[in-house]
């Protein structure tokens, strides 16, 4: 799945939240399965349950370092965020919070997946976390582990001006980093399908790889449960064959600056959990 490669690519993102500043360039994350968190640990709190389904912006603090991520929480409590802090050399990594279902307390693993193809490709950091949902638009918590201690907070935000709507027609999907040493640039055809503003997409890549997937809207929110399937048909085949799932949303922002910040486009983002190849794709 070839694509153009931009120079000066980066190494890691949320890992800098979890590690002491003196070892930020050393340790990395360990691969985990998608079901990495729970909300079963009891923490005294009041209020809720809250409706947390929507788009969220997270901030993670470790010592003097702070990193911001953009993402969403779906109805199952899946909470995924990606970083685009190119100025710090960290972009295209994924942060997964413990399941956030709207209960006033949650706990479990907080996991940081390195961008595939980066200096720490295939690695991840897992720490234990606990937090509180204080309203339908705010949450906070702490994490601790062998890689350091820190705090995180998140607030709901609106990445899209106006109402969410199904994207149709020809689009381009670009994966941040490389997957199994292959860059990924996908010519995609989108169509409205399913309920609400849900969508499906297909793509055929010259190197004998077919791609198909869905963006299934969660209620009426700007949140989509995403599924993508890569099917090798011979030859070079797909860099990452199989079916993978994650979360997505629509935005007016070109977070990775790969489309010249064209304000006329609606951008789709898909944060896909694939263990050591967990990746973020911008679609424009």
């Amino acid at each position: 799945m070839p694509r153009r490669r931009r120079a000066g690519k980066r190494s890691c993102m949320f890992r800098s939240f979890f590690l002491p500043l003196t070892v930020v360039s050393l340790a990395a994350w360990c691969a985990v399965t998608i079901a990495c968190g729970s909300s079963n640990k009891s923490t005294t709190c009041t209020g809720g349950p809250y409706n947390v389904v929507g788009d969220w912006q997270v901030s993670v603090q470790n010592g003097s370092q702070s990193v911001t991520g953009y993402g969403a929480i779906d109805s199952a409590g899946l909470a995924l965020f990606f970083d685009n802090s190119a100025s710090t050399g960290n972009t295209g990594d994924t942060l997964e919070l413990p399941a956030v279902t709207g209960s006033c307390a949650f706990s479990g693993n907080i996991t940081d997946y390195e961008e595939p193809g980066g200096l720490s490709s295939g690695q991840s950091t897992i720490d234990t976390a606990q937090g509180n949902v204080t309203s339908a638009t705010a949450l906070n918590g702490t994490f601790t582990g062998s890689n350091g201690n820190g705090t995180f907070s998140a607030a709901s935000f609106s990445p899209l001006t106006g109402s969410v709507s199904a994207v149709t027609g020809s689009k381009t999907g670009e994966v941040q980093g490389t997957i199994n040493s292959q860059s990924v640039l996908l010519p995609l055809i989108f169509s409205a399908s399913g309920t609400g503003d849900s969508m499906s997409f297909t793509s055929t890549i010259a190197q004998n790889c077919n791609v198909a997937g869905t963006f299934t809207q969660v209620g009426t929110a700007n949140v989509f449960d995403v599924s993508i399937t890569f099917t090798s048909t011979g030859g070079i085949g797909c860099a990452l064959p199989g079916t993978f799932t994650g979360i997505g949303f629509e935005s007016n922002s070109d977070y990775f600056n790969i489309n010249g910040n064209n304000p006329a486009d609606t951008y789709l983002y898909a944060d896909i959990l694939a263990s050591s190849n967990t990746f973020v794709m911008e679609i424009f």
Side-chain angles (χ1 to χ4, degrees), residues 105-271:
F106 61 90
S107 64
N109 290 334
I110 184 171
T111 306
D112 183 15
Y113 300 87
E114 297 286 354
E115 176 207 58
L119 295 181
S120 300
S121 177
Q123 298 176 328
S124 59
T125 295
I126 304 175
D127 283 313
T128 58
Q130 62 181 22
N132 295 109
V133 179
T134 57
S135 73
T137 60
L139 62 85
N140 59 73
T142 61
F143 61 87
T144 185
S146 59
N147 292 318
N149 304 324
T151 63
F152 61 90
S153 61
S156 62
F157 83 121
S158 300
L160 184 69
T161 300
S163 301
V164 62
S165 62
V167 171
T168 59
S170 298
K171 305 289 281 186
T172 298
E174 182 166 355
V175 169
Q176 300 305 298
T178 60
I179 297 179
N180 293 326
S181 300
Q182 294 188 40
S183 300
V184 181
L185 183 69
L186 302 175
L188 301 171
I189 303 297
F190 272 79
S191 59
S193 67
T195 60
D197 292 299
S198 300
M199 299 159 275
S200 62
F201 61 90
T202 60
S203 178
T204 300
I205 305 171
Q207 281 72 22
N208 304 106
C209 178
N210 293 333
V211 182
T214 56
F215 277 70
T216 302
Q217 188 178 22
V218 180
T220 59
N222 182 14
V223 180
F224 299 87
D225 287 321
V226 182
S227 176
I228 184 168
T229 299
F230 299 93
T231 304
S232 297
T233 59
I236 296 175
C238 303
L240 186 66
T243 298
F244 307 94
T245 59
I247 203 165
F249 63 93
E250 295 183 4
S251 176
N252 298 118
S253 299
D254 182 4
Y255 290 115
F256 296 107
N257 195 27
I258 57 179
N259 190 38
N261 291 304
N262 185 349
D265 276 340
T266 295
Y267 299 87
L268 278 170
Y269 291 91
D271 207 340

Side-chain angles (χ1 to χ4, degrees), residues 38-123:
S38 70
S39 56
N40 295 324
K41 185 176 178 180
S42 177
T43 301
T44 301
C45 62
T46 59
Y50 302 101
N51 179 11
V52 294
V53 173
D55 306 301
W56 291 74
Q57 184 172 311
V58 68
S59 177
V60 181
Q61 186 80 31
N62 184 3
S64 63
Q65 290 194 333
S66 180
V67 180
T68 297
Y70 307 91
I73 301 175
D74 72 4
S75 58
L78 178 63
L80 294 180
F81 306 88
F82 62 80
D83 175 51
N84 70 335
S85 301
S87 62
T88 63
N90 306 319
T91 181
D93 295 359
T94 293
L95 179 74
E96 182 175 11
L97 295 182
V100 182
T101 60
S103 298
C104 67
F106 61 90
S107 64
N109 290 334
I110 184 171
T111 306
D112 183 15
Y113 300 87
E114 297 286 354
E115 176 207 58
L119 295 181
S120 300
S121 177
Q123 298 176 328

